[in-house]
């Protein structure tokens, strides 16, 4: 699959966080500019491709969407290896999903590349009346672990593109600094999961 002329760099991003925080909705909003209010649980793992341009570099983003449930955790951890950027997602209306971020970070420290770029995303910021995690709390946690922080709404398309662009740019800058200016990079090959049931949420 060497379409060398189509992109300068391939970046693998991984989305993690508890079930129901809206990982799939964020991905669908970013990759397809669509939103589905129905909730379908992601089975295992799925991914989407999006070609973007960052600083005159053509970048092929491979964005992996993981299942948040505990029973899929062993599948998920194997995908940390090879991820160059990780998007940690919580739901601003669900404090437990925010408190889980520390557990997810410990998973990253255990299984991911030591230099992996991370970003923290508080989703569902449109639900102001139900918000229980303040912007300040999100920013404080992100600062503690040296991450960028965004509050997003997949439903209303708030900061979705900006958050993905910022993590992609961070990864791109790091890879270039490391001298990894390659075209198509070898990445984890996916066994067929096109029929995986997708997870909606907001």
């Amino acid at each position: 699959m060497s379409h060398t002329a189509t992109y300068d760099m391939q970046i693998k991003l991984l989305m993690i966080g508890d079930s129901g925080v809206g990982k799939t909705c964020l991905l669908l909003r970013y990759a397809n500019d669509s939103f589905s209010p129905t909730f379908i649980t992601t089975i295992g793992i799925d991914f989407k491709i999006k070609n973007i341009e960052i600083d005159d570099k053509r970048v092929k983003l491979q964005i992996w969407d993981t299942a948040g449930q505990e029973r899929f955790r062993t599948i998920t951890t194997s995908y940390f290896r090879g991820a160059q950027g990780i998007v940690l997602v919580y739901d601003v209306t669900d404090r437990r999903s925010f408190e889980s971020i520390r557990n997810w970070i410990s998973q990253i420290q255990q299984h991911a590349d030591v230099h992996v770029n991370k970003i923290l995303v508080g989703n569902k910021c449109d639900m102001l009346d139900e918000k229980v995690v303040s912007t300040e709390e999100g920013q404080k946690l992100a600062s503690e672990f040296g991450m960028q922080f965004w509050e997003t709404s997949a439903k209303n398309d708030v900061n979705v593109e900006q958050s993905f662009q910022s993590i992609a740019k961070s990864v791109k800058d790091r890879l270039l600094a490391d001298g990894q200016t390659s075209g198509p990079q070898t990445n984890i090959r996916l066994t067929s999961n096109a029929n995986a049931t997708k997870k909606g949420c907001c």
Side-chain angles (χ1 to χ4, degrees):
M1 295 196 37
S2 59
H3 304 301
T4 47
T6 57
Y7 57 93
D8 302 311
M9 178 183 285
Q10 179 166 294
I11 290 174
K12 178 186 170 188
L13 300 181
L14 188 67
M15 301 184 70
I16 59 174
D18 285 2
S19 179
V21 297
K23 298 185 295 296
T24 300
C25 281
L26 285 169
L27 179 55
L28 290 176
R29 171 63 75 188
Y30 180 59
N32 300 352
D33 196 22
S34 64
F35 177 79
S36 169
T38 53
F39 183 87
I40 319 156
T41 299
T42 302
I43 304 300
I45 193 154
D46 195 9
F47 79 101
K48 291 203 175 289
I49 299 288
K50 187 172 174 82
N51 293 296
I52 62 172
E53 194 164 297
I54 311 173
D55 304 329
D56 298 324
K57 289 279 181 193
R58 291 166 303 175
V59 177
K60 179 181 179 182
L61 284 183
Q62 193 181 59
I63 311 168
W64 297 68
D65 175 26
T66 64
Q69 299 92 325
E70 197 64 47
R71 70 180 181 274
F72 293 118
R73 195 63 57 86
T74 51
I75 302 172
T76 304
T77 52
S78 65
Y79 286 88
F80 281 113
R81 298 179 188 86
Q84 294 151 320
I86 296 180
V87 182
L88 292 114
V89 186
Y90 69 91
D91 173 354
V92 299
T93 71
D94 178 2
R95 178 159 292 279
R96 193 166 63 172
S97 73
F98 177 69
E99 291 167 352
S100 289
I101 292 294
R102 288 183 185 278
N103 298 332
W104 286 107
I105 287 172
S106 70
Q107 292 275 337
I108 293 170
Q109 291 166 341
Q110 215 176 323
H111 301 286
D113 184 284
V114 67
H115 300 299
V116 71
N117 296 87
K118 299 182 292 293
I119 188 172
L120 182 63
V121 171
N123 193 34
K124 308 188 190 179
C125 71
D126 55 286
M127 299 172 72
L128 291 173
D129 294 343
E130 296 172 52
K131 187 174 182 181
V132 294
V133 182
S134 71
T135 304
E136 292 72 26
E137 285 177 287
Q139 185 63 68
K140 185 180 175 188
L141 183 65
S143 299
E144 181 184 335
F145 290 100
M147 298 186 282
Q148 294 182 58
F149 172 65
W150 294 87
E151 283 191 333
T152 63
S153 167
K155 183 178 182 181
N156 292 352
D157 196 11
V158 177
N159 288 336
V160 177
E161 181 159 356
Q162 291 90 330
S163 56
F164 279 102
Q165 285 280 133
S166 66
I167 182 71
K169 179 171 167 48
S170 297
V171 173
K172 188 266 303 177
D173 290 346
R174 174 172 62 84
L175 294 180
L176 288 177
D178 290 348
Q180 298 183 39
T181 55
S182 63
Q185 298 172 0
T186 52
N187 249 304
I188 292 176
R189 274 280 181 270
L190 181 69
T191 52
S192 173
N193 71 338
N195 298 321
T197 311
K198 286 310 300 123
K199 167 180 124 196
C201 181
C202 22

